[in-house]
């Protein structure tokens, strides 16, 4: 099989709430490999997959796989979903409850000879560790086993493109990692474009080669996971990427020689430095800071490379799994993550005076 680029240039209006339609307007290209579709709920990620799959018809534009047109509004081309040669795994998985695992996998292989069916079933059953489950029905499977069967069924057909819409939702971290590793290994031998919708940063880091971020039906940014998600440039993306602190501020001055600018956080007692951006002095901006990128000190720190030191008072302390969430009032309200061991050694307590220590490059200007 020869591999090709999937290119999308579409515009489609969906009925929205009230009188305002939701508009999906996307131009993007997808090479063989894992592309993560990332963004807040309602951004248009699933709608984009539906258009690529042929389940939704765009109003204008085109969708191509190499030189082959799946959809071309100007030429009135709209290839049916079953003729596009792709596989689509939904969050609901959509396994047939009345069929066994082997019958579910065989369902998409009915046009092949018996020998080829057997060969493909054996291959996917081995790759996704379900060879011992072939005689069972979906009701007899665990959540992780159902996800493995859904992926095996999709890949047994030999798709040219794989669409995955949050297929691992609800699974614990160890199961997700195991299934993602199986999928990654399969892709080494079968390098096709894979579009993967997720809100889970761990999944992004495990398999993501590229990230395409969406908000309000439009592409915000694209690039490597680190470049896009660790330094977001828009408010919706910062929120979707899990930046716990998104604070209103005003630009005070540029210091071009130092590559920074000073900003005044709303209600904060001191200005802070952030990397130099395009916002002019006097303009209103927002600054995004991860809770895990803020250090706490119980004494005023000295001789640090970190440029931003803010005194504040602990308002609450709450254990959340392997982390402790500390809310600090330092003029502005900050959420800080520390380990339980750090909280104990610092003897953190509500009402305690602390200092926030924030590196300049942990602060991201968002618009």
């Amino acid at each position: 099989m020869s591999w090709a680029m999937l290119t999308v240039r579409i515009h489609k209006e969906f009925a929205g709430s009230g009188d305002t339609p939701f508009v999906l307007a996307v131009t993007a290209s997808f090479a063989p490999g894992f592309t993560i579709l990332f963004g807040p709920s309602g951004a248009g990620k699933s709608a984009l997959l539906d258009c690529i799959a042929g389940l939704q018809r765009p109003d204008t534009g085109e969708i191509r796989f190499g030189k082959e047109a799946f959809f071309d509004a100007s030429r009135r081309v709209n290839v049916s979903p079953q003729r596009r040669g792709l596989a689509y795994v939904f969050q609901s998985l959509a396994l047939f409850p009345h069929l066994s695992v082997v019958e579910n996998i065989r369902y998409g292989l009915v046009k092949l000879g018996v020998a080829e069916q057997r060969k493909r079933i054996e291959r996917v059953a081995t790759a996704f560790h379900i060879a011992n489950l072939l005689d069972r029905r979906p009701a007899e499977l665990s959540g992780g086993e159902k996800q493995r069967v859904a992926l095996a069924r999709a890949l047994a057909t030999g798709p040219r493109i794989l669409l995955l819409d949050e297929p691992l939702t609800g699974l614990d971290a160890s199961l997700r990692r195991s299934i993602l590793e199986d999928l990654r290994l399969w892709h080494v031998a079968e390098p096709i474009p894979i579009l993967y919708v997720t809100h889970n940063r761990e999944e992004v880091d495990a398999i993501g080669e590229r990230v395409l971020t969406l908000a309000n039906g439009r592409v915000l940014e694209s690039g490597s996971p680190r470049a896009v998600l660790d330094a977001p440039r828009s408010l919706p993306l910062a929120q979707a990427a899990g930046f716990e602190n998104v604070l209103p501020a005003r630009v005070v001055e540029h210091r071009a020689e130092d590559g920074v600018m000073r900003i005044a956080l709303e209600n904060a007692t001191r200005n802070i430095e952030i990397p130099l951006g395009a916002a002019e002095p006097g303009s209103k901006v927002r600054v995004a800071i991860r809770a895990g990128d803020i250090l706490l000190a119980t004494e005023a720190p000295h001789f640090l490379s970190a440029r931003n030191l803010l005194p504040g008072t602990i308002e609450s302390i709450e254990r959340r799994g392997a982390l402790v969430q500390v809310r600090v009032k330092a003029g502005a309200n900050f959420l800080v993550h520390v380990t339980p061991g750090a909280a104990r050694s610092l003897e953190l307590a509500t009402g305690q005076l602390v200092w926030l220590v924030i590196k300049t490059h942990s602060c991201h200007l968002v618009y």
Side-chain angles (χ1 to χ4, degrees), residues 3 11 29 33 39 51 86 105-106 144 152 164 169 189 236 242-243 264 275 284 296 306 314 341 352 366:
W3 311 119
H11 183 283
S29 296
C51 288
L86 50 77
I105 298 173
R106 187 182 291 125
L164 301 169
T169 298
F243 279 76
K284 293 182 178 181
L296 282 182
I314 295 178
Q352 182 179 9
V366 295

Side-chain angles (χ1 to χ4, degrees), residues 111-326:
K111 294 183 179 180
L112 301 178
V114 173
E116 181 64 20
Q117 289 183 21
R118 185 182 300 112
K119 176 182 175 182
R120 293 195 185 196
I121 291 170
E122 288 177 354
R123 185 182 176 206
V124 295
T126 300
F128 289 94
H129 306 287
I130 57 171
N132 62 325
L133 306 175
L134 294 178
D135 293 329
R136 298 186 189 179
R137 292 192 176 185
E140 303 173 84
L141 304 177
S142 68
E145 290 168 344
K146 290 177 183 177
Q147 263 92 352
R148 290 181 182 278
V149 172
L151 286 169
R153 182 179 66 175
L155 291 169
T157 63
R160 298 185 293 174
I161 301 165
L162 178 61
L163 309 178
L164 301 169
D165 194 353
E166 299 192 75
L168 305 184
T169 298
L171 299 185
D172 63 35
S174 61
L175 265 177
R176 288 199 306 269
R177 285 194 294 268
S178 177
I179 295 173
L180 288 173
E181 178 62 12
D182 291 341
L183 181 59
R184 189 189 64 78
L185 290 174
W186 177 279
H187 180 261
V188 170
E190 302 287 344
I192 61 175
I194 299 177
L195 280 62
Y196 192 110
V197 172
T198 183
H199 291 93
N200 188 297
R201 181 59 191 271
E202 184 180 343
E203 293 180 21
V204 176
D205 292 337
I207 60 172
E209 299 171 36
R210 296 172 296 276
V211 173
L212 186 82
T213 60
L214 292 163
N216 299 317
R218 286 168 170 75
V219 175
L220 294 178
E221 300 176 42
S222 63
S224 70
R226 182 174 297 276
V228 173
L229 299 183
D230 288 349
R233 295 194 294 266
S234 69
L235 176 59
L237 180 54
Q239 293 169 331
F243 279 76
E244 297 86 355
N245 300 288
V246 182
L247 307 169
R250 176 179 53 82
V251 179
V252 176
E253 63 172 331
H254 285 188
R255 293 184 177 176
E257 67 278 9
D258 296 326
V260 301
M261 58 189 187
R262 295 191 64 77
I263 64 167
L265 295 174
E266 195 171 275
N267 300 319
T269 55
R270 299 184 183 182
N271 297 339
I272 67 171
E273 282 186 2
I274 70 172
L276 188 64
E280 294 297 324
S283 59
K284 293 182 178 181
V285 296
R286 290 185 177 90
V287 176
I289 308 170
R290 290 189 187 278
D293 286 342
I294 303 175
L295 302 181
L296 282 182
T298 54
E299 297 179 356
H302 300 286
F303 309 112
L304 294 177
S305 61
R307 302 288 291 172
N308 300 316
L309 306 176
L310 297 175
T313 303
I314 295 178
E315 294 200 320
S316 68
I317 303 174
E318 184 178 0
R319 177 73 180 261
R320 289 288 184 89
L323 291 172
V324 175
Q325 290 189 349
V326 184

Side-chain angles (χ1 to χ4, degrees), residues 46-68:
S46 296
L48 174 58
L49 294 192
D50 286 349
C51 288
I52 293 170
L55 303 180
Q56 294 282 351
R57 186 184 189 280
D59 300 322
T60 61
E62 61 181 0
I63 301 170
R64 292 182 173 275
F65 183 63
K67 296 180 179 179
E68 179 182 351

